[in-house]
Structure formats: C-alpha cells, structure tokens
Amino acid sequence: MAGQNSGKTAQQDVSQCPSHDHRNLSTSINVSASAYLLAMVSRPPENWRVWMAQVARDVEAGILEPDCDGATEMYPESLLRATDSALEAFEAEVRGLLEPTDDEVLGAVARVVLALNAVDGDASHGGAGYCTEEREQLCEYIDLTLGEHGVDVAPLAGRRGIDRAEITDAWRDW
C-alpha cells in the first residue's frame, strides 16, 4: 500500500499520493459490490468528497505522506457545490421529460454540459476544475441518470451516428 516502508526513499517511490485514477471509489476504498453500485449512481461531487476524506484520514494515520494532504485542495467546496447544482438541475429536467424525443434528451444533455463548462471555467474555484477522471465520472453520471429515467442512451446515440460515450462531446469543453 502507498506510504508503507518498502526500503525505498520518498524520492524513489513517486506513488506516495493517490493519483487521479484513485478518486474512483472502486479503487480507493474497499467496498462491497452493492455499495459500489450505489456509489456509481451518486453524484460525482459526493465521490470526490469521500475521496478527499479518505486521503485526509490516510495522511492522519500515516499511511500517506503529509504532503499528500494537499490533495484535499483539488476540490474546493465552491466547485463541489456548483457541480452539484448543475447536476441537480439536470436531474430535475430529465425527471420532467415524459416520453421525450431525442432532441429533448439531447437538449437536457447540452444544458447540463454547458452549465458544467461554466463551472469548470469559473476562476472563483481557485484554478480547480475537471480533468480526465472527473470528465469520465461526469459523463458516466449523465448517461446513468438518463438510463434511470427510461432513456436508452445507446440507441439514441446510434440514431445520431455517435457512440453513447460521445453524447456530451458536441458541447463539452472539459
């Protein structure tokens, strides 16, 4: 486990701090399959809060080096709140769609992606924003939310000549 003494110096072991890939609950926290599924449908900011809390606990316990404590600054509360707000609006819009057309669904996707673009570009978050892992979690969350509300994303994407993983690409800056 990172941080344990393996005979290497801190300079030799560059994996002392959790990487972006470790923000996913499935790799950073040992959870049961049902808890993992529940985490997968959680909003990404909740996953990020859990990850930061785990890093802080691991630093406090001496599992991670003290300089890893800065990892908790990757997600300022303003970024988390703004992301939650954009996702809440998306959820409410999708809940209100009854037998939606492809254009209505993609309109909702466009609006959430544009809102997340604004969050990502907002300088008030101290330079924090979305990187690869966050992008993947946000896109997966959009897909899962649509699916939970009866939208079959793969056929919808197919009718547009794209892969389901590309449904946010037309609008996404992050």
Side-chain angles (χ1 to χ4, degrees):
M1 178 173 274
Q4 290 181 337
N5 186 354
S6 62
K8 296 180 183 178
T9 67
Q11 288 180 339
Q12 291 171 315
D13 186 2
V14 295
S15 64
Q16 294 292 321
C17 299
S19 71
H20 290 240
D21 292 337
H22 290 115
R23 288 186 222 159
N24 186 313
L25 292 178
S26 67
T27 58
S28 66
I29 301 172
N30 195 5
V31 295
S32 69
S34 61
Y36 175 69
L37 181 59
L38 178 62
M40 290 303 297
V41 296
S42 297
R43 283 191 202 119
E46 184 57 33
N47 296 341
W48 305 335
R49 285 180 179 100
V50 169
W51 177 80
M52 288 188 302
Q54 184 64 48
V55 168
R57 283 190 299 273
D58 288 352
V59 167
E60 187 174 317
I63 296 168
L64 294 174
E65 297 296 319
D67 60 340
C68 292
D69 195 39
T72 60
E73 298 170 10
M74 294 174 70
Y75 301 113
E77 191 57 34
S78 63
L79 177 78
L80 298 173
R81 280 193 312 270
T83 303
D84 270 332
S85 179
L87 295 176
E88 286 170 10
F90 172 66
E91 293 161 11
E93 182 174 0
V94 171
R95 246 188 329 271
L97 296 175
L98 304 174
E99 299 183 31
T101 65
D102 288 358
D103 287 339
E104 290 173 320
V105 172
L106 291 174
V109 171
R111 282 183 284 284
V112 72
V113 170
L114 294 172
L116 292 168
N117 286 348
V119 171
D120 186 52
D122 187 340
S124 72
H125 306 307
Y130 311 132
C131 295
T132 302
E133 182 68 20
E134 292 84 8
R135 180 188 71 234
E136 291 172 2
Q137 288 183 30
L138 290 165
C139 290
E140 183 175 20
Y141 183 78
I142 290 167
D143 185 298
L144 289 171
T145 299
L146 292 171
E148 285 180 350
H149 292 88
V151 175
D152 198 345
V153 177
L156 179 148
R159 290 189 292 274
R160 298 297 171 139
I162 59 175
D163 183 82
R164 76 182 300 148
E166 299 172 324
I167 66 167
T168 62
D169 289 1
W171 310 281
R172 185 171 43 80
D173 292 338
W174 29 273

